[in-house]
Amino acid sequence: MEHVAVETAQTLDRGLRLLQLVADTPGGLSMTEAAARLGVGRAVVYRLVATLTEHAMLRRDGSGRLRLGAGVLRLAKRAEPLLADAALPALRRLAERVGATAHLTVVDGGEALALSVVEPTWTQFHVAYRTGSRHSLERGAAGLAILAGRRGDFAPVATTGELQPGAYGVAAAVPGLDGLEASVGVVALAPLDEATVPNEVLEAAATIAQALQD
């Protein structure tokens, strides 16, 4: 029984490593490449792919290369409420301290998706930013911060009027999240204090990163 348990654990480990390899390779992997990267024979990869394909975790494109399947996307969707809940305390604190609408944004389908939004309670006016809003990663502080994070740059990004005329935004990528790209930021109707707001955003990003890793 112990031998079977070890073999099962090894198979699971290889399957998870294969999923990670495919996720980290935008152009997809051939069966030969996958076998070489895993350090196993092609027969092992075929068995892993057959099982993962059955559960829609992997698929093969027109040229036979391995891609992530719709099952991975379904799992990610189910995880989104957990991410939003974990980030909520830090977002509330950020919104109240800065007096601006705070948000957690993640990459979804190649776009920036506002996963969680918290508005300040004490301001007379603030930006109405809806949960579920989407925009290009190339526009707005939230998306630009995520792109900067891909380059290993976690410094705050500031923008003006890119998503909404007259709106000011500051955001920073959330560091240290394997398999998840996210940013945290604030958006306001007036210029944000350059001396304090970037540091507040960085602190919130670090707090959220820790919450998601615990």
Side-chain angles (χ1 to χ4, degrees):
M1 291 295 294
E2 183 178 349
H3 173 72
V4 173
V6 171
E7 185 174 328
T8 301
Q10 183 183 55
T11 301
L12 176 59
D13 177 71
R14 286 172 173 169
L16 293 173
R17 286 168 54 205
L18 178 57
L19 283 174
Q20 188 64 60
L21 286 173
V22 174
D24 291 341
T25 310
L29 283 175
S30 70
M31 301 293 277
T32 301
E33 291 168 341
R37 299 274 290 276
L38 286 175
V40 299
R42 283 169 57 93
V44 173
V45 173
Y46 274 106
R47 288 196 295 272
L48 293 173
V49 169
T51 300
L52 291 169
T53 299
E54 183 179 349
H55 291 278
M57 296 296 174
L58 286 180
R59 64 181 177 85
R60 298 179 72 175
D61 64 17
S63 61
R65 298 182 72 80
L66 299 173
R67 308 272 187 170
L68 290 181
V72 173
L73 298 178
R74 286 196 293 271
L75 285 177
K77 286 292 184 185
R78 290 171 183 169
E80 285 181 357
L82 300 178
L83 299 179
D85 287 346
L88 203 54
L91 291 178
R92 282 202 186 103
R93 187 162 53 250
L94 178 61
E96 294 300 323
R97 285 182 176 179
V98 175
T101 302
H103 53 84
L104 175 70
T105 298
V106 298
V107 176
D108 183 77
E111 294 181 309
L113 168 69
L115 186 61
S116 185
V117 176
V118 176
E119 298 177 355
T121 60
W122 57 269
T123 55
Q124 188 171 4
F125 301 102
H126 52 258
V127 174
Y129 189 38
R130 290 183 295 109
T131 299
S133 297
R134 291 176 175 271
H135 59 83
S136 166
L137 290 173
E138 287 76 23
R139 293 181 59 223
L144 293 174
I146 289 172
L147 293 178
R150 288 180 179 177
R151 304 190 298 269
D153 181 1
F154 295 93
V157 174
T159 59
T160 302
E162 291 207 3
L163 296 178
Q164 182 175 327
Y168 298 81
V170 176
V174 180
L177 301 181
D178 291 337
L180 174 67
E181 293 180 300
S183 69
V184 60
V186 291
V187 58
L189 295 171
L192 294 158
D193 187 348
E194 296 179 2
T196 61
V197 172
N199 289 332
E200 293 283 1
V201 168
L202 283 175
E203 181 180 337
T207 300
I208 290 172
Q210 186 61 52
L212 294 179
Q213 291 167 6
D214 287 345

